[in-house]
Amino acid sequence: MKIDIKSILVPVDESEPAQHAFDYAMTVAEALKAKVTLLYIVDPAIISADNYYIDYGQVAADVESYKKSADEYLDSLIDAAPKDVSISKVISVGSPSREVYRYADKEHIDLVIMGNSGKGAISSLVMGSVSASTIKHAKCPVLIIK
Amino acid sequence: MDIKKILIPVDSSEASERAYSYGVSLAASLKAEVILYYVTNATALLYPVYRVTLAETDTDALTAAGKKYIEGLAAKAPEGVKVIPETDIGDPGTFIVQKAEDENVDLIVMGNSGKGAVSSIVMGSVSHFVIHHTKVPVLIVK
């Protein structure tokens, strides 16, 4: 068997494991000459979690501002990346547990590299729900980084 | 950062054979060496006899079978990839985590469901244990 890894998906948020996953992905992508897609998912459920009631107009406005800061964050990652790695960025809105594997399947991604716990996790030793869901549902191999 | 050493734990399931093929191929691309690791499950040995330890000759036979199995796999590695076969007897999850730490590996490649798993849709209990307990990156192959 000869594996051919041409496309790597790296779902990120601002967490430390996501940063580690990004660094690791750069090493792998450079060695394998693979293209990297950074995926940032804005989760409206988290944006509205602090409120007692949900004001949908406010959520929509917040989503826009989160998308803007996500875009700046992705640009900062890309700026710090090795110049010989081709990186693109995608920002989408939805539930990360679903969006990561859906995107990977839709775009025929060869490998997902992701941090184990996002911002919501209690500890880095417990598997994050997004990682667990992605391993369970994605058709491609998934590399989990702490 | 460099990926120089890859641990590939296997049992004799199809999922772990796929993980092995994937892992050695990745090792070839990354110019990394591979530790191929088979742990004879001591807890599985206990069940048939209601938790009375089997005679040593039985564990020896199982370990010998495991050794033969991974040496067969190691022989099928792509050219240029150094594969070191190793075996142990114990609890697979605990031993894999320990091995990764002792050998200072940069990556663990493993299958999603071992022999004990109900279905490949459910994550294998060993993979699940390893992801929970190791600090090393883990690549799960389906």
Coordinates of all heavy atoms in Angstrom, one line a residue, chain B residues 73-127:
Chain B
L73 N 4.7 -9.4 9.6 CA 4.3 -8.0 9.2 C 5.6 -7.2 8.9 O 5.7 -6.5 7.8 CB 3.5 -7.3 10.3 CG 2.1 -7.6 10.4 CD1 1.5 -6.7 11.5 CD2 1.3 -7.4 9.2
A74 N 6.6 -7.3 9.8 CA 7.8 -6.5 9.6 C 8.5 -6.9 8.3 O 9.0 -6.0 7.6 CB 8.7 -6.8 10.8
A75 N 8.4 -8.1 7.9 CA 9.0 -8.6 6.6 C 8.3 -7.9 5.4 O 8.9 -7.8 4.3 CB 9.0 -10.1 6.5
K76 N 7.1 -7.5 5.6 CA 6.4 -6.9 4.5 C 6.5 -5.4 4.4 O 5.9 -4.7 3.6 CB 4.8 -7.2 4.6 CG 4.5 -8.6 4.3 CD 3.0 -8.9 4.1 CE 2.4 -9.0 5.5 NZ 0.9 -9.3 5.5
A77 N 7.4 -4.8 5.2 CA 7.6 -3.3 5.2 C 8.2 -2.9 3.9 O 8.9 -3.6 3.3 CB 8.5 -2.9 6.4
P78 N 7.8 -1.6 3.5 CA 8.4 -1.1 2.3 C 10.0 -1.0 2.5 O 10.5 -0.9 3.6 CB 7.8 0.3 2.2 CG 6.8 0.4 3.2 CD 6.9 -0.7 4.2
E79 N 10.6 -1.1 1.3 CA 12.1 -1.0 1.4 C 12.6 0.3 2.0 O 12.0 1.3 1.7 CB 12.6 -1.2 -0.1 CG 13.9 -2.0 -0.2 CD 14.2 -2.3 -1.6 OE1 13.4 -3.0 -2.3 OE2 15.3 -1.9 -2.1
G80 N 13.6 0.2 2.8 CA 14.2 1.4 3.3 C 13.6 1.8 4.7 O 14.1 2.7 5.3
V81 N 12.5 1.1 5.1 CA 11.9 1.5 6.4 C 12.4 0.5 7.4 O 12.2 -0.7 7.3 CB 10.4 1.5 6.3 CG1 9.8 1.8 7.7 CG2 9.9 2.4 5.3
K82 N 13.0 1.0 8.5 CA 13.5 0.2 9.6 C 12.3 -0.2 10.5 O 11.7 0.8 11.1 CB 14.6 0.9 10.3 CG 15.2 0.0 11.4 CD 16.3 0.9 12.1 CE 16.8 0.1 13.3 NZ 17.6 1.0 14.2
V83 N 12.0 -1.4 10.6 CA 10.9 -1.9 11.5 C 11.4 -2.8 12.6 O 12.0 -3.8 12.4 CB 9.8 -2.6 10.7 CG1 8.7 -3.1 11.7 CG2 9.2 -1.7 9.6
I84 N 11.2 -2.3 13.9 CA 11.7 -3.1 15.0 C 10.5 -3.8 15.7 O 9.6 -3.1 16.2 CB 12.4 -2.2 16.0 CG1 13.5 -1.4 15.3 CG2 12.9 -3.0 17.2 CD1 13.9 -0.1 16.1
P85 N 10.4 -5.1 15.5 CA 9.2 -5.8 16.2 C 9.5 -6.1 17.6 O 10.6 -6.5 18.0 CB 9.1 -7.2 15.4 CG 10.4 -7.3 14.7 CD 11.3 -6.1 14.8
E86 N 8.5 -5.8 18.5 CA 8.6 -6.0 19.9 C 7.3 -6.6 20.5 O 6.2 -6.2 20.1 CB 9.0 -4.7 20.6 CG 10.4 -4.3 20.3 CD 10.9 -3.3 21.2 OE1 10.5 -3.2 22.4 OE2 11.8 -2.5 20.8
T87 N 7.4 -7.5 21.5 CA 6.2 -8.0 22.1 C 6.3 -7.9 23.7 O 7.4 -7.8 24.2 CB 6.1 -9.5 21.8 OG1 7.3 -10.2 22.2 CG2 5.8 -9.8 20.4
D88 N 5.1 -7.9 24.3 CA 5.0 -7.9 25.7 C 3.8 -8.7 26.1 O 2.9 -8.9 25.3 CB 4.9 -6.4 26.3 CG 6.3 -5.9 26.6 OD1 7.1 -6.6 27.3 OD2 6.5 -4.7 26.3
I89 N 3.7 -9.0 27.4 CA 2.4 -9.5 27.9 C 1.9 -8.6 29.0 O 2.6 -8.2 29.9 CB 2.7 -10.9 28.6 CG1 3.4 -11.9 27.7 CG2 1.3 -11.5 29.1 CD1 3.8 -13.2 28.4
G90 N 0.6 -8.2 28.9 CA 0.0 -7.3 29.9 C -1.3 -6.7 29.4 O -1.9 -7.3 28.5
D91 N -1.6 -5.6 29.9 CA -2.8 -4.9 29.5 C -2.4 -4.0 28.3 O -1.6 -3.1 28.5 CB -3.4 -4.0 30.6 CG -4.5 -3.1 30.1 OD1 -5.5 -3.6 29.6 OD2 -4.3 -1.9 30.3
P92 N -3.0 -4.2 27.1 CA -2.5 -3.5 25.9 C -2.5 -2.0 26.0 O -1.4 -1.4 25.7 CB -3.4 -4.0 24.8 CG -3.9 -5.3 25.3 CD -4.0 -5.2 26.8
G93 N -3.6 -1.4 26.5 CA -3.6 0.1 26.6 C -2.5 0.6 27.5 O -1.8 1.5 27.0
T94 N -2.4 0.1 28.7 CA -1.4 0.6 29.6 C 0.0 0.4 29.0 O 0.9 1.3 29.1 CB -1.4 -0.2 30.9 OG1 -2.8 -0.3 31.3 CG2 -0.6 0.4 32.0
F95 N 0.3 -0.8 28.4 CA 1.6 -1.1 27.9 C 2.0 -0.2 26.7 O 3.1 0.3 26.5 CB 1.8 -2.5 27.5 CG 2.2 -3.4 28.7 CD1 1.4 -3.5 29.8 CD2 3.4 -4.1 28.7 CE1 1.8 -4.3 30.9 CE2 3.8 -4.8 29.7 CZ 3.0 -4.9 30.9
I96 N 1.0 0.1 25.8 CA 1.2 1.0 24.7 C 1.6 2.4 25.1 O 2.5 3.0 24.6 CB 0.0 1.0 23.7 CG1 -0.2 -0.4 23.1 CG2 0.1 2.1 22.7 CD1 -1.6 -0.6 22.4
V97 N 0.8 2.9 26.1 CA 1.1 4.3 26.6 C 2.5 4.3 27.2 O 3.3 5.2 26.9 CB 0.0 4.7 27.7 CG1 0.5 5.9 28.4 CG2 -1.3 4.8 27.0
Q98 N 2.9 3.3 27.9 CA 4.2 3.2 28.6 C 5.3 3.1 27.5 O 6.3 3.8 27.6 CB 4.3 2.0 29.5 CG 5.5 1.9 30.4 CD 5.6 3.1 31.3 OE1 4.6 3.5 32.0 NE2 6.7 3.8 31.4
K99 N 5.1 2.3 26.5 CA 6.1 2.1 25.5 C 6.3 3.4 24.7 O 7.5 3.7 24.4 CB 5.5 1.0 24.5 CG 6.5 0.5 23.5 CD 7.5 -0.4 24.1 CE 8.4 -1.0 23.1 NZ 9.5 -1.7 23.9
A100 N 5.2 4.1 24.4 CA 5.4 5.4 23.7 C 6.3 6.3 24.5 O 7.1 7.1 24.0 CB 4.0 6.0 23.5
E101 N 6.1 6.3 25.8 CA 6.8 7.2 26.7 C 8.3 6.8 26.8 O 9.2 7.5 26.6 CB 6.2 7.2 28.1 CG 6.6 8.4 28.9 CD 5.9 8.4 30.2 OE1 4.6 8.5 30.2 OE2 6.5 8.4 31.3
D102 N 8.5 5.4 27.0 CA 9.9 4.9 27.2 C 10.7 5.1 25.9 O 11.9 5.4 26.0 CB 9.8 3.4 27.4 CG 9.2 3.1 28.8 OD1 9.1 4.0 29.6 OD2 8.9 1.9 29.1
E103 N 10.1 4.9 24.8 CA 10.8 5.0 23.5 C 10.8 6.4 22.9 O 11.4 6.7 21.9 CB 10.2 4.1 22.5 CG 10.2 2.6 22.8 CD 11.6 2.0 22.6 OE1 12.5 2.7 22.0 OE2 11.8 0.8 23.0
N104 N 10.1 7.3 23.6 CA 10.1 8.7 23.2 C 9.6 8.9 21.7 O 10.3 9.6 21.0 CB 11.5 9.3 23.4 CG 11.5 10.8 23.8 OD1 10.4 11.3 23.9 ND2 12.6 11.4 24.0
V105 N 8.6 8.2 21.4 CA 8.1 8.2 20.0 C 7.4 9.6 19.7 O 7.0 10.3 20.6 CB 7.1 7.0 19.7 CG1 7.8 5.7 20.0 CG2 5.8 7.2 20.4
D106 N 7.4 9.9 18.4 CA 6.8 11.2 17.9 C 5.4 11.0 17.5 O 4.6 12.0 17.3 CB 7.6 11.7 16.8 CG 9.1 11.9 17.2 OD1 9.4 12.6 18.2 OD2 10.0 11.2 16.5
L107 N 5.0 9.7 17.3 CA 3.6 9.5 16.7 C 3.2 8.0 17.0 O 4.1 7.1 17.0 CB 3.6 9.7 15.2 CG 2.3 9.5 14.4 CD1 1.2 10.4 14.9 CD2 2.6 9.6 12.9
I108 N 1.9 7.8 17.3 CA 1.4 6.5 17.4 C 0.4 6.3 16.3 O -0.5 7.2 16.1 CB 0.7 6.2 18.8 CG1 1.6 6.5 20.0 CG2 0.1 4.8 18.9 CD1 1.0 6.5 21.4
V109 N 0.5 5.2 15.5 CA -0.5 5.0 14.5 C -1.2 3.7 14.9 O -0.6 2.7 15.1 CB 0.2 4.8 13.1 CG1 -0.9 4.5 12.0 CG2 0.9 6.1 12.7
M110 N -2.5 3.8 15.0 CA -3.2 2.6 15.3 C -4.6 2.5 14.7 O -5.2 3.4 14.2 CB -3.3 2.4 16.9 CG -4.0 3.4 17.6 SD -3.7 3.3 19.4 CE -4.3 1.7 19.8
G111 N -5.2 1.2 14.7 CA -6.5 1.0 14.1 C -7.6 1.5 15.0 O -7.3 1.7 16.2
N112 N -8.7 1.6 14.5 CA -9.8 2.1 15.2 C -10.5 1.1 16.1 O -11.1 1.3 17.1 CB -10.8 2.8 14.3 CG -11.8 3.6 15.1 OD1 -11.5 4.2 16.2 ND2 -13.1 3.7 14.7
S113 N -10.5 -0.2 15.6 CA -11.2 -1.2 16.4 C -10.3 -2.4 16.5 O -9.8 -2.9 15.5 CB -12.5 -1.5 15.7 OG -12.3 -2.2 14.5
G114 N -10.1 -2.9 17.7 CA -9.4 -4.1 17.8 C -10.3 -5.3 17.8 O -11.4 -5.2 17.4
K115 N -9.8 -6.4 18.2 CA -10.5 -7.7 18.1 C -11.7 -7.7 19.0 O -12.7 -8.3 18.8 CB -9.6 -8.8 18.4 CG -8.6 -9.1 17.3 CD -8.2 -10.6 17.3 CE -7.1 -10.7 18.4 NZ -6.5 -12.1 18.3
G116 N -11.6 -7.0 20.1 CA -12.7 -7.0 21.1 C -13.9 -6.1 20.7 O -14.9 -6.2 21.4
A117 N -13.7 -5.2 19.7 CA -14.7 -4.2 19.5 C -15.9 -4.8 18.8 O -15.9 -5.8 18.0 CB -14.2 -3.1 18.6
V118 N -17.1 -4.3 19.1 CA -18.3 -4.7 18.5 C -18.4 -4.4 17.0 O -18.8 -5.2 16.2 CB -19.5 -4.0 19.2 CG1 -20.8 -4.4 18.6 CG2 -19.5 -4.4 20.7
S119 N -18.0 -3.2 16.7 CA -18.0 -2.7 15.3 C -17.1 -1.6 15.1 O -16.6 -1.0 16.0 CB -19.5 -2.3 15.0 OG -19.5 -0.9 14.6
S120 N -16.7 -1.4 13.9 CA -15.7 -0.3 13.6 C -16.3 1.1 13.8 O -15.6 2.0 13.9 CB -15.2 -0.5 12.2 OG -16.2 -0.2 11.3
I121 N -17.6 1.1 13.9 CA -18.2 2.4 14.2 C -17.9 2.9 15.6 O -17.8 4.0 15.9 CB -19.8 2.3 14.0 CG1 -20.1 1.9 12.5 CG2 -20.5 3.6 14.3 CD1 -19.7 2.9 11.5
V122 N -17.9 1.9 16.5 CA -17.6 2.2 17.9 C -16.0 2.2 18.0 O -15.4 1.4 17.5 CB -18.2 1.1 18.8 CG1 -17.8 1.4 20.3 CG2 -19.7 1.1 18.6
M123 N -15.5 3.2 18.7 CA -14.1 3.3 18.8 C -13.6 2.1 19.7 O -14.1 1.8 20.7 CB -13.6 4.6 19.4 CG -12.1 4.7 19.3 SD -11.4 6.2 19.8 CE -12.7 7.3 19.7
G124 N -12.5 1.5 19.2 CA -11.9 0.4 19.9 C -11.5 0.9 21.3 O -11.1 2.0 21.5
S125 N -11.7 0.0 22.3 CA -11.4 0.4 23.7 C -9.9 0.7 23.9 O -9.6 1.6 24.7 CB -11.9 -0.7 24.6 OG -11.2 -1.9 24.3
V126 N -9.1 0.0 23.2 CA -7.6 0.3 23.3 C -7.2 1.6 22.7 O -6.6 2.4 23.4 CB -6.8 -0.9 22.7 CG1 -5.3 -0.6 22.9 CG2 -7.1 -2.2 23.3
S127 N -7.7 1.9 21.5 CA -7.5 3.3 20.9 C -8.0 4.4 21.9 O -7.3 5.4 22.1 CB -8.2 3.4 19.6 OG -8.3 2.2 18.9

